[in-house]
């Protein structure tokens, strides 16, 4: 583990703590651990009971072995860093940024520096503080670390509130492109509630209605390859990892996605030169082929609709070129 974590192993002794909630038990026996901090660690999958993920409501039993990894306190606020940013548009109210794959949007456990927010703080002193803390100024929405593409950032609280309302009311227009395994129907919709996986609390999964939030993903195929496809995707909802989870759940994981099964040959021959080619692509790509290509919204000050489009990045296009050559006679 990194130096930013505290690792603790506990064994529940016989006595007065039978059937005590896990979160309450840990606040009693882990130094400086608040209930909120413990519950957050449990939710993120950093607590295991008898080598398995557990919930805060789990009732401990004598002999239970509890392994805890607690993040140390974050810096009090994000600090400005001189980071190159690809700014697509900027005015007195908003900034639209084309985020590269590999960049985290805001400081968080394991990534306190080098984030988009650190770069934005160096670029401008004007970012909204409506997020309610000092490590996410201006951030209205996010992209996964290994997903590239467009985000809009608010420079004042009025803009932040206005844009957030559009996201809540699903009035934001977002289009993604992804290379996925297999050849799904030309157009379709994936639906299924998304929540924390019961097997691994660090990842998301399609779960029962009682354990997740409703999620709807629309897609159409732009191009078919040898056992793979280029998909255009529109979200009706915005759940964590939604595109990656839905496509994986319906057996079409995003190419290169190490978390949801896209980093091995899923369709077609898995031997010889084809296997070696994909192994080379996975290693060189080092992320999922998912890009937030277009972003449209009503400007918070002018009331005018604005839409931005970004080109597919070079590593994404490199995979497309290889797949197109494979399909040539």
């Amino acid at each position: 583990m990194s130096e930013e974590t505290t690792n603790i192993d506990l064994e529940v002794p016989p006595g007065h703590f039978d059937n005590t909630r896990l979160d309450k038990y840990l606040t009693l026996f882990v130094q400086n651990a608040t209930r909120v901090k413990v519950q957050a660690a449990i939710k993120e999958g950093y607590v295991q009971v008898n080598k398995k993920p557990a919930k805060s409501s789990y009732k401990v039993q004598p002999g239970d072995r509890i392994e805890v990894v607690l993040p140390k306190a974050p810096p009090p606020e994000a600090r400005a860093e001189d980071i190159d940013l690809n700014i697509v548009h900027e005015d007195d109210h908003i900034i639209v940024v084309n985020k590269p794959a590999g960049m985290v949007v805001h400081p968080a456990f394991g990534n306190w520096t080098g984030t988009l927010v650190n770069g934005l703080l160096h670029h401008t002193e004007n970012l909204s503080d409506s997020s309610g803390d000092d490590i996410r100024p201006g951030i209205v929405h996010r992209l996964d670390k290994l997903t590239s593409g467009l985000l809009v950032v608010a420079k004042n609280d009025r803009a932040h509130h206005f844009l957030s309302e559009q996201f809540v009311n699903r009035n934001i227009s977002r289009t993604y492109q992804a290379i996925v395994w297999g050849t799904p129907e030309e157009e379709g919709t994936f639906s299924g509630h998304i929540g924390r996986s019961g097997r691994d609390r660090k990842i998301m999964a399609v779960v029962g209605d009682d354990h997740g939030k409703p999620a709807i993903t629309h897609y159409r195929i732009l191009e078919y390859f040898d056992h793979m496809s280029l998909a255009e995707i529109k979200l009706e909802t915005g759940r964590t990892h939604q595109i990656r989870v839905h496509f994986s759940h319906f057996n079409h994981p995003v190419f290169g996605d190490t978390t949801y099964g896209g980093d091995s040959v899923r369709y077609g021959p898995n031997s010889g030169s084809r296997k070696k080619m994909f192994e080379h692509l996975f290693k060189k790509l080092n992320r999922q082929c998912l890009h937030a290509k277009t972003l449209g919204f009503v400007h918070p000050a002018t009331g005018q609709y604005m839409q931005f489009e970004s080109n597919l990045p070079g590593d994404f296009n490199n995979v497309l070129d290889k797949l197109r050559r494979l399909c040539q006679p």
Side-chain angles (χ1 to χ4, degrees):
M1 280 292 169
S2 75
E3 63 183 5
E4 294 169 329
T5 63
T6 301
N7 305 313
I8 302 163
D9 292 327
L10 300 171
E11 182 172 348
V12 180
H16 303 292
F17 300 102
D18 299 8
N19 296 315
T20 300
R21 280 177 57 106
L22 177 61
D23 54 357
K24 182 178 180 181
Y25 183 85
L26 290 178
T27 59
L28 294 172
F29 289 96
V30 176
Q31 187 176 11
N32 298 324
T34 65
R35 191 101 173 239
V36 171
K37 186 176 180 180
V38 165
Q39 288 175 340
I42 293 171
K43 183 178 180 181
E44 294 298 321
Y46 295 113
V47 177
Q48 291 195 335
V49 178
N50 302 324
K51 301 294 184 180
K52 296 180 180 179
K55 296 182 177 180
S56 293
S57 58
Y58 172 79
K59 304 297 178 60
V60 302
Q61 301 298 322
D64 279 348
R65 294 298 301 267
I66 305 173
E67 298 173 65
V68 187
V69 180
L70 288 178
K72 293 183 179 178
E77 61 182 22
R79 295 175 182 155
E81 296 177 38
D82 188 1
I83 299 172
D84 286 337
L85 300 177
N86 184 358
I87 295 177
V88 177
H89 170 85
E90 181 175 8
D91 57 41
D92 291 340
H93 306 276
I94 62 171
I95 304 174
V96 178
V97 182
N98 190 11
K99 184 189 84 68
M103 176 180 281
V104 175
V105 171
H106 62 75
F109 174 56
N111 294 281
W112 298 126
T113 62
T115 73
L116 177 64
V117 162
N118 296 117
L120 287 169
L121 288 170
H122 183 271
H123 174 75
T124 179
E125 296 180 354
N126 300 316
L127 291 174
S128 74
D129 58 7
S130 290
S131 60
D133 57 42
D134 292 326
I135 60 173
R136 292 182 294 171
I139 298 304
V140 180
H141 64 123
R142 293 177 292 178
L143 291 175
D144 299 337
K145 176 181 179 179
L146 298 180
T147 297
S148 53
L150 297 171
L151 295 102
V152 60
V153 177
K155 296 180 77 172
N156 55 64
D157 290 351
R158 180 178 180 276
H160 195 291
H161 177 75
F162 191 89
L163 291 168
S164 295
E165 285 292 308
Q166 290 185 68
F167 275 98
V168 170
N169 295 326
R170 303 176 185 176
N171 294 326
I172 298 284
S173 174
R174 289 180 289 173
T175 301
Y176 297 76
Q177 286 191 9
I179 298 174
V180 301
W181 286 101
T183 54
E185 296 292 328
E186 282 191 39
E187 293 188 8
T189 296
F190 295 144
S191 61
H193 284 55
I194 290 178
R196 292 282 168 187
S197 168
R199 292 180 291 105
D200 184 351
R201 300 289 293 174
K202 297 177 186 177
I203 66 174
M204 311 303 288
V206 173
V207 297
D209 294 3
D210 295 337
H211 297 90
K213 296 180 180 179
I216 300 173
T217 304
H218 305 289
Y219 76 88
R220 70 184 181 98
I221 301 303
L222 302 177
E223 196 171 350
Y224 286 114
F225 309 109
D226 177 19
H227 300 286
M228 300 179 72
S229 308
L230 174 64
E232 180 182 83
I233 302 158
K234 292 187 177 181
L235 299 180
E236 190 168 318
T237 53
R239 309 305 177 201
T240 301
H241 298 178
Q242 179 172 323
I243 291 172
R244 299 162 61 196
V245 171
H246 268 169
F247 274 85
S248 178
H249 180 78
F250 292 99
N251 300 313
H252 299 291
V254 176
F255 183 86
D257 190 341
T258 59
T259 302
Y260 297 104
D263 61 337
S264 61
V265 178
R266 298 295 298 264
Y267 291 86
N270 187 20
S271 60
S273 60
R274 187 174 188 269
K275 180 180 180 180
K276 289 182 180 179
M277 183 199 74
F278 281 125
E279 287 175 346
H280 176 73
L281 282 178
F282 293 142
K283 186 176 181 179
K284 189 173 182 180
L285 181 67
N286 199 31
R287 60 112 161 190
Q288 61 262 5
C289 267
L290 178 60
H291 179 73
K293 198 168 192 307
T294 67
L295 177 65
F297 52 86
V298 175
H299 192 280
T302 68
Q304 297 294 313
Y305 180 77
M306 307 180 74
Q307 182 158 309
F308 301 91
E309 182 165 350
S310 61
N311 294 326
L312 293 175
D315 57 353
F316 197 122
N317 275 320
N318 181 55
V319 177
L320 283 178
D321 290 342
K322 292 286 194 304
L323 296 179
R324 286 167 181 150
R325 284 201 291 269
L326 273 181
C327 294
Q328 290 177 352

